[in-house]
Amino acid sequence: MDDGNGLAGPSGDGPRRRGGVRRLPLRTVLLIVVFVPSLTFAPLLASGMNQLFTQWQAEKAQMDLATTTVGVPASALFFGLDRERRLTAEVLAGSASARAELTEQRRVTDQAVAAFRPLTALDVPDAQEGLADAIARTDRGLGLLAEQRRAVDAGRSGAQRAFDYYSGVLESGLGVLTTLGRTDEGQVNREAQALSDLYWVVNLLGREDAVLARGWGTGRLTRDEYVLVSDAIGARNHLMRSRVIPALKGDETPYAKLTDGKAWATMTAMEERLITSAPEGDQVTLRGDSVAWRSSVEAVTGQLRQLLDLRFENVSKIGYDHARMVFTVFVSISSVGLLALALVIFTSWRLTAILRRRILHLRHEAHELQERLPDVVARLERGEDVDVDAEVRTLQPTPDELGELGQALNLASRSAVLTAVRQAEQHRGFQRMLQRIARRTQILIGLQLKKLDELERRHEDPEVLEGLFDLDHLTARLRRYEENLVILGGGQPQRRWRKPVHLLDVLRAAQGEVQDYRRIAIDVEGESWIAERAVGPLVHVLAELMENATAFSRPLTPVEVRAAPVSRGVAVEIEDRGLGMEPEQYDAANDLLRSPPRLDVMTHADDVRLGLYVVARLSAGLGLKVELRSSAFGGTRVIVLIPESLVVDRPRAVPVPEEVSSPREDARPAHEDGDLPARSRGRAMAHVTASASPERDDAPASSGLRPLPQRVRQASLAAELKVPAARDERTGQEFAVRDQPGRSSAAIGAFQRQSRKRRTGDDASRPGQGGSAESSSPTTEDR
């Protein structure tokens, strides 16, 4: 349909018109209004700004190098090497007192060298010309420092050789300091020249001091040493009078009288007596007091260093002031140019102000949603209730594109929060259902264990007992699997102990919950006891790892379990001989064990690593450190580190069943009345032995044969692992571990036959029936 202007389109889809002007896309409008007028003025402004900025950047970079980056390490290195040069000369001259000072000074110099060495890798485009070469020369000289020191200590280096080495390195360092004063600003260069002259004055005084240190002990100098001292004195005095003192100004002028001071006068008087001394052949007599010389030199050096610091501050101030002035000019020109540019784009801003505010408002709302949604999810994970209407703020829509965008943002915000709430409620509901089912199943498993115990005490048929024992073992494993469901559902195992348990018993308890328990070999070093709060979770963790080792290794291959105390607790190693895993799989498994994520059971139903999730959750709660590694056998080795906080001392009194407490006391009766031990509730067979020969099955009770051991339930467990009978009735749960889950039918039959015969013969030996209690009392025998 033609609208009369030559433009046609379907309603709502094609270009729409307002006031006879076709509406362009928002991005196109902003680009035309803002950039087209600005492009005519921006290049000129940018050129002037770039020139000023480059100059300011170069001056500032050079001042930073001179004052901090290079200047400070180079100055510290200079003074350290200067002092080490003098102390080395004293040591080579035979001064024993200087040895300790030299050792300490070497340590200080090494610190300065360590701070200077990284400067060789310095890459500053605006650095002073020649600075990199000067640093490299100094670094090459420092590379021979260790060798020179060894030569001095071993007596292989002469005094002159050591002097030449240190003087050469010091001159290289002075080259670095001199180069730092050559900046792009002329005034800084002029003021820095006096600073370099001061460094040379200190160096010449150090040269003189190092040469004189050779002769104070003997009172003589060689002719060559005399020449070195004379040259140093002359050059130093020339620099001080002709270049340093005339350059002092401002707060530096008080140091112009440095040469009139007492220390300087003492030093120059001794130098004058030395210079005027007449040579005697190849030697010159050194007249003067070494103590007075040392005192005056130290005082003069201290004054020179104070003047150096003051001059350094003044030069730095001049350089930074000029750099700031350049920066001020840069900012001023930039401000004026930007103001002009702002005038050019003022009309554009008027057109785009409303659009910008609305776009920024929408962006702000989007950012708030981005920040608010994770907070809502975190609150839902903590179990808090979230009101969707309160969390979503509605934007007022307008009849244009931005209004449609705001409406879409409203719908997206509400949908995202509502979806998060529904997913969290569904996840929590599933977890509650999973825990409820698992808890109920655990109660049934506890009742099943109780029923199996009653059947084991009721039946004496070896084949029936063997089947019942197998069912008992399967039920214990089923209980562990149900606990896995509780843990995956966000709960914790319910098994609790009130006393510490021996580590060996904990390992045996974990072994008893594994299907192929016969393949597991346990080796424990030391006497370690586990705190009562950690027994249940630790048994669960070890059982899961043992089960994994047996499941992923070939049948009949052994699984070795070793435990031993280490410096930070107790380490348990579980090693199988399976196929192992790839290195990236080990890394992924260890990452999972170190940082267990919050598991969504519904999205990880097919994940084969659910056992690792259980181990990771329990380990994180106990503070265990579990790590998987490759085994030398090709399988996997798991290391479980039990921290010291979970390892306790052996309890003072550990209750042991009477029947097995003293198995080696053959002469002591087990019961005073002579009766066989009675079977009672809560007892199961602990040791089965048929030591009596079949030919003596019919022997009377008074023949002196000792009875077979009792069948005592939970006798193979430590006292801390035993579950009281009252608790069986209250919770219907039991944690029973036996040394040998499988029973020999022949052994069980022998136990039953011997027990019946002993009971038959016991009737005739009771007191009051013609028998003697003492003559038929059974004794406990070590079997």
Side-chain angles (χ1 to χ4, degrees), residues 413-471:
S413 303
R414 186 174 184 83
S415 177
V417 176
L418 186 60
T419 301
V421 171
R422 289 177 177 175
Q423 287 183 348
E425 291 177 351
Q426 182 181 11
H427 180 71
R428 289 202 297 264
F430 182 79
Q431 281 189 330
R432 288 193 296 268
M433 180 186 68
L434 187 64
Q435 290 191 44
R436 191 179 301 114
I437 294 174
R439 296 298 187 193
R440 292 179 178 178
T441 307
Q442 282 185 325
I443 294 176
L444 296 178
I445 291 173
L447 295 175
Q448 182 175 340
L449 285 171
K450 180 179 179 181
K451 188 64 177 178
L452 287 173
D453 180 70
E454 293 176 356
L455 293 175
E456 290 172 3
R457 289 187 282 105
R458 185 182 306 168
H459 292 278
E460 298 181 352
D461 188 339
E463 296 182 359
V464 175
L465 285 175
E466 187 171 3
L468 292 175
F469 291 150
D470 290 338
L471 288 176

Side-chain angles (χ1 to χ4, degrees), residues 6-200:
L7 296 175
S11 177
D13 292 333
R16 290 182 291 179
R17 295 165 47 84
R18 178 174 297 176
V21 180
R22 181 178 178 179
R23 292 184 56 197
L24 297 175
L26 179 62
R27 182 178 181 181
T28 304
V29 172
L30 293 176
L31 289 175
I32 292 175
V33 171
V34 175
F35 287 102
V36 172
S38 305
L39 289 176
T40 59
F41 181 73
L44 297 176
L45 178 62
S47 177
M49 293 172 60
N50 179 67
Q51 184 176 1
L52 289 173
F53 181 79
T54 302
Q55 181 181 356
W56 168 76
Q57 191 177 37
E59 291 188 11
K60 185 176 183 301
Q62 291 173 356
M63 291 307 302
D64 289 341
L65 291 173
T67 56
T68 56
T69 308
V70 179
V72 173
S75 180
L77 178 65
F78 171 78
F79 287 110
L81 289 173
D82 180 65
R83 181 175 173 81
E84 185 174 337
R85 174 176 60 181
R86 192 258 303 173
L87 292 173
T88 301
E90 292 183 2
V91 170
L92 292 176
S95 175
S97 60
R99 173 62 67 178
E101 294 184 40
L102 177 60
T103 302
E104 177 63 22
Q105 182 58 40
R106 285 178 176 178
R107 185 186 64 80
V108 175
T109 305
D110 288 339
Q111 294 177 355
V113 171
F116 183 84
R117 279 281 170 79
L119 300 179
T120 57
L122 194 64
D123 185 14
V124 179
D126 298 322
Q128 291 87 337
E129 184 178 359
L131 180 60
D133 294 337
I135 293 175
R137 286 194 300 271
T138 305
D139 182 67
R140 287 194 296 270
L142 293 175
L144 302 175
L145 179 59
E147 180 181 353
Q148 179 62 40
R149 288 174 175 175
R150 288 193 296 269
V152 170
D153 295 339
R156 292 182 282 103
S157 175
Q160 186 60 37
R161 178 182 175 185
F163 175 82
D164 293 339
Y165 168 76
Y166 283 106
S167 298
V169 178
L170 282 168
E171 289 180 5
S172 299
L174 284 172
V176 174
L177 294 170
T178 302
T179 305
L180 289 174
R182 299 169 185 167
T183 65
D184 294 342
E185 170 55 26
Q187 185 180 2
V188 175
N189 294 342
R190 291 190 297 272
E191 299 297 333
Q193 182 59 50
L195 186 64
S196 300
D197 293 337
L198 272 172
Y199 276 111
W200 272 102

Side-chain angles (χ1 to χ4, degrees), residues 280-299:
E280 299 175 1
D282 291 336
Q283 292 186 344
V284 177
T285 302
L286 183 60
R287 295 182 296 175
D289 184 7
S290 62
V291 177
W293 168 260
R294 177 86 272 120
S295 176
S296 61
V297 169
E298 292 290 346

Side-chain angles (χ1 to χ4, degrees), residues 56 59 316-317 319-330:
W56 168 76
E59 291 188 11
S316 301
K317 184 177 182 301
Y320 278 116
D321 287 345
H322 189 270
R324 280 192 291 270
M325 184 269 294
V326 174
F327 183 74
T328 302
V329 174
F330 162 74

